[in-house]
Amino acid sequence: MASRRFDPKGKESYSAVKYVQVEGLALMKIAKHCHEECASDVIIAQGALLGLVVEDRLEITNCFAFPKSVDESINDEKYQLDMMKSLRQVNVDHYHVGWYQSSDVGNFLSLPLLESQFHYQTSIEESVVLIFDAPKTNRGFLSLSAYRLTPQALTMFKENDFLPDTLKSLKVGYDNLLVKVPVVIKNSTLTNILLSELSFKIKVEEGSEHLDIGTATVLEGQLRHLMDRVDDLNQEAIKFNRYQQAVVRQATDKHRYLQKRAIENQARAAKEEPPLPEEDITKIFRALPVPPRLPPMLMATQVDSYAEEIAKFSTQSLAKLYMTKAMNTNN
């Protein structure tokens, strides 16, 4: 179901949103679903986002989980329509504005995710995908990001051509597959009042939350994933180098074959013999299949994402270490 953009002046437009506003209720439901699925050893948790587009922001006010893939008796499309119909009957925002997915220490980028977002974005222009990192959130760092496909990536999936020449003509690279949309979390006034009252009742150990170096586990996981992706990227580079060597070798053999035919035709012409019959050179030297460039591009994008996260968390850890060292020295 396509979502419409409502303008206070009564006009409708379909331009891209500038930021995503998530209600606290929707965020808590996403977090609960992702934590439960991760605890039950499910690879990923997914669900639908419901809300409304107002001016230049996408408001996400509710959500519901997709049925588990192991249950084959449920029709996914019928299930989503029934859920939205039920929510509409109780006067809850029922416009489909995107979907969410869980992540394992930033490891979320894959071809199925891009294909799903492409289908969402072609049917619902303002749709986004929310990525919730449950392991990182368990360590005390709320990780919620919103992504959309860039216009170049949309064109690439529409043409369904991932060869190097196509990617070069579209100017698609690892750094412009997805665009990150700012996320703002908003609670109602009554919720803010309740949180303020609870903050006074809950006792927190003074100073323990400021110098807690809880980034160690997160950094270790990200470094492990980074090394795995770098190894995979290296294997893809080796495959592409072998393809280039095979192309050069085939071009050399083709040139030698044509030279040999030319010399033999000259000899036959000197003997006043007819030249050799024409042959289709493309049947003798068939074009080698070009390896697709999308998988290594996804790996490079994931490596870039890991590097950014590691740099951010390393800066926080170093700052805490220097502060702790200074405090110990003064004591």
Side-chain angles (χ1 to χ4, degrees):
M1 180 180 296
S3 62
R4 294 192 300 170
R5 176 186 294 276
F6 293 93
D7 192 287
K9 298 180 181 180
K11 299 180 180 179
E12 291 184 1
S13 61
Y14 293 87
S15 59
V17 295
K18 292 184 179 179
Y19 67 98
V20 177
Q21 179 178 295
V22 184
E23 294 287 339
L25 172 63
L27 177 58
M28 293 300 294
K29 292 177 71 173
I30 293 173
K32 181 176 182 294
H33 179 214
C34 293
H35 285 303
E36 289 176 350
E37 296 297 334
C38 291
S40 61
D41 295 331
V42 177
I43 299 177
I44 55 175
Q46 294 178 334
L49 300 174
L50 306 175
L52 202 65
V53 182
V54 181
E55 296 180 351
D56 60 348
R57 70 177 180 273
L58 176 64
E59 295 185 2
I60 299 174
T61 57
N62 212 325
C63 64
F64 62 86
F66 290 153
K68 295 182 180 180
S69 58
V70 293
D71 191 353
E72 299 179 354
S73 61
I74 300 178
N75 188 314
D76 291 347
E77 185 175 354
K78 184 178 182 301
Y79 172 81
Q80 295 182 39
L81 292 175
D82 291 342
M83 283 293 297
M84 288 187 287
K85 183 179 179 180
S86 301
L87 291 171
R88 183 178 183 180
Q89 291 176 352
V90 295
N91 200 24
V92 176
D93 289 337
H94 60 281
Y95 286 110
H96 205 166
V97 295
W99 61 298
Y100 69 86
Q101 177 177 305
S102 62
S103 171
D104 182 14
V105 197
N107 187 18
F108 66 92
L109 193 60
S110 62
L111 183 58
L113 182 138
L114 294 180
E115 291 177 344
S116 299
Q117 181 58 23
F118 167 72
H119 293 304
Y120 268 93
Q121 222 165 306
T122 50
S123 58
I124 308 171
E125 185 179 358
E126 297 90 353
S127 64
V128 299
V129 53
L130 284 183
I131 303 298
F132 182 82
D133 198 324
K136 190 183 296 184
T137 304
N138 286 336
R139 299 300 303 170
F141 306 96
L142 178 61
S143 177
L144 183 69
S145 305
Y147 294 94
R148 286 171 52 84
L149 288 176
T150 60
Q152 298 95 321
L154 285 173
T155 306
M156 177 185 67
F157 277 101
K158 285 179 182 177
E159 296 183 358
N160 197 24
D161 187 359
F162 309 120
L163 296 179
D165 293 338
T166 305
L167 299 182
K168 184 178 179 181
S169 62
L170 294 176
K171 298 181 180 180
V172 179
Y174 74 92
D175 55 344
N176 62 353
L177 275 177
L178 293 170
V179 58
K180 195 171 183 178
V181 185
V183 178
V184 177
I185 301 174
K186 182 183 179 181
N187 291 317
S188 64
T189 305
L190 292 177
T191 304
N192 290 329
I193 294 174
L194 177 61
L195 292 175
S196 299
E197 292 180 355
L198 291 176
S199 64
F200 290 107
K201 295 180 180 180
I202 299 176
K203 295 182 180 180
V204 182
E205 296 181 6
E206 294 183 1
S208 62
E209 72 276 11
H210 299 296
L211 298 180
D212 178 25
I213 308 178
T215 57
T217 307
V218 178
L219 279 175
E220 181 181 355
Q222 288 180 333
L223 286 172
R224 290 183 182 277
H225 286 302
L226 177 62
M227 289 188 293
D228 292 339
R229 286 294 173 269
V230 170
D231 290 340
D232 295 339
L233 193 60
N234 182 49
Q235 294 298 323
E236 291 292 334
I238 293 174
K239 292 179 183 178
F240 191 72
N241 288 335
R242 289 175 179 171
Y243 163 75
Q244 289 182 319
Q245 292 173 359
V247 170
V248 173
R249 192 181 306 113
Q250 187 186 65
T252 304
D253 294 341
K254 182 178 179 180
H255 180 68
R256 290 175 179 173
Y257 176 79
L258 293 176
Q259 277 189 333
K260 182 178 179 181
R261 280 182 59 89
I263 294 174
E264 190 170 350
N265 282 332
Q266 290 178 359
R268 293 174 70 90
K271 298 178 182 179
E272 295 183 356
E273 296 179 357
L276 295 173
E278 294 291 336
E279 296 180 352
D280 190 357
I281 196 68
T282 58
K283 292 183 179 180
I284 301 175
F285 299 95
R286 298 184 180 277
L288 298 175
V290 182
R293 303 307 301 156
L294 187 58
M297 188 186 300
L298 293 177
M299 296 175 189
T301 307
Q302 192 68 69
V303 168
D304 183 64
S305 176
Y306 283 139
E308 290 182 0
E309 291 295 327
I310 289 172
K312 180 173 65 176
F313 278 96
S314 298
T315 303
Q316 295 176 359
S317 299
L318 287 174
K320 292 178 181 179
L321 285 174
Y322 280 117
M323 289 175 63
T324 307
K325 181 179 179 181
M327 293 174 64
N328 292 334
T329 303
N330 293 334
N331 293 334

